[in-house]
Amino acid sequence: MLIILSMSGTAIGQPSAPQERSMTAVEQVLVPRGGSLEAFYAARAFQVAWMREEQVQGLVEALKGVASDGLNPGDYGADRLLAGYRQALISDEHAQARFDIRATRALYTALRHLHHGKVDPHSIDPQWKVPINERLPTLDRIIQAVETGQLAALFDSVRPAYAPYQRLRQGLTRYRNIQRLGGWPMLPDTGPVLERGVTHPDVAILRKRLAQIGELEVMAADITILPEAKLEAPDPQYFDASLEAAVRRFQDHHLLEMDGIVGPRTREALNVPVDRRIDQIRLNLERARWLMHGLPEAFVLVDIAGYRVSYFRPNGDVWRSRIVVGQPYRRTPSLRSEITHLTVNPTWTVPPTILREDVIPSVRRDPNYLDRRNMQVLTPSGQRLSPGQVNWSNPGNVMIRQAAGPGNALGQVVIRFPNDHLVYLHDTPAQGLFARQRRAFSSGCIRVQGVLELAQLLLDDTGSDRDLRSLLAGGRTRNVSLVEPMPVILHYWTVHPGAGGRLVFRPDIYARDDALLRALDRPLASL
């Protein structure tokens, strides 16, 4: 058979062999491969994406904007991108590809940090149990934003959309403005107790300090401007009723006892530098990014450091109340679960830690301890023992259970949700603790003021069709399932927007802030 060859050596009339595509410069320098960067460039046939200076300028502006979220634009090289782009333009294609990948990596890193946080919560809290939503916008949405220059809108789309997050951002801006103006004046570390009726130079400093955070009505007029005028303004050094009211509001926003008196604890809170308050806001914005995505329509939110519980009901109403949480050495954990059932007229089986550290030592000191508290001693199989049968110096493997009744530590009802820490929401006979501003007194579980009302709302809102009062009246210990489970979130904030948008600063009862701040401020490896 005669075969005629073309000048290239290919047989005429025969199909051409497929030509190998040469690798682009982006493919050659993209290391490591895999993940979001390779997907981004694969969708663009591995061509450069940042072809116009206005695109890069838009990225720079978007990256600088994350400062309003408490993040550091320097982590993403925002101040070096334009110079890098201009240098790449006059270099070879491999330098251009390296710049392009660096810009895209900065974009993705910032989007992830802005969406679900820079710090992995597991790295600073090994017991962290709240799942993190890491879902970013679709690849098509990101590519479109890069090509059209709509990066500001892209960044806005990944910020938590909930009002508390926006109010924290606004608060950060407000406190940074105070910082730029030189901060607020400090009271002397030691000084007299300031209260209504007192005249003292520290009162004038107090007025200026409170005015810095919006208490403008306490400012005294400067009589040196118009010495002959009769000005309706307080004596700067006199502690009057309006100043007392402002001090009460300050105390309320810092979880201090609202007595209107500037004693040592209030003076200490007033003297926390504005820089420290800014750091607190920043790290609580980070905590919000861990949590505030895809929240359910209805859920129970336990604010641990704020000693509050909020139930966001399906009808849009919000039920709120005070809570008591775990002591610093028996911390209430952060977790996410679902409320599945209630226990009415509960008995209380003493948890192992409380049994070992509290109850057994009490029995050793007082032989009548168990009787007074209506507690029974049981074997692991549930067989009842007489307390006299137990060697309390070495009791072995015994259980102690408190019978249902008015003195039961769990009160009349327990709200239960599966979790590894065996914590739950419950009633309590110790109602007086709810009157305190700071309420870290429990052994990890959450005592709820007005928990019977909350329990009935949960029954009503989940279609469970049960009357709690009737269940309680029977006196029998029983579990009552919810027809539909209700999501519950336990989380820890040391700053939170209060009524009127004012920020409420809470004591860091579990000493978690410093570790988070160090992690948040740790520089990233070079992009």
Side-chain angles (χ1 to χ4, degrees), residues 65 115 129 132 150 171 187 210 229 233 253 269 305 399 431 455 518:
H115 182 267
K129 297 293 183 182
I132 301 295
Q150 300 298 313
L187 291 164
L210 294 174
H253 295 148
M399 297 190 304
Q431 295 290 312
R518 286 193 299 271

Side-chain angles (χ1 to χ4, degrees), residues 62-90:
L63 292 174
K64 288 182 176 179
V66 303
S68 69
D69 300 88
L71 296 169
N72 178 9
D75 279 343
Y76 319 104
D79 54 346
R80 303 187 303 273
L81 281 175
L82 269 179
Y85 170 77
R86 291 164 182 163
Q87 180 62 39
L89 283 180
I90 59 175

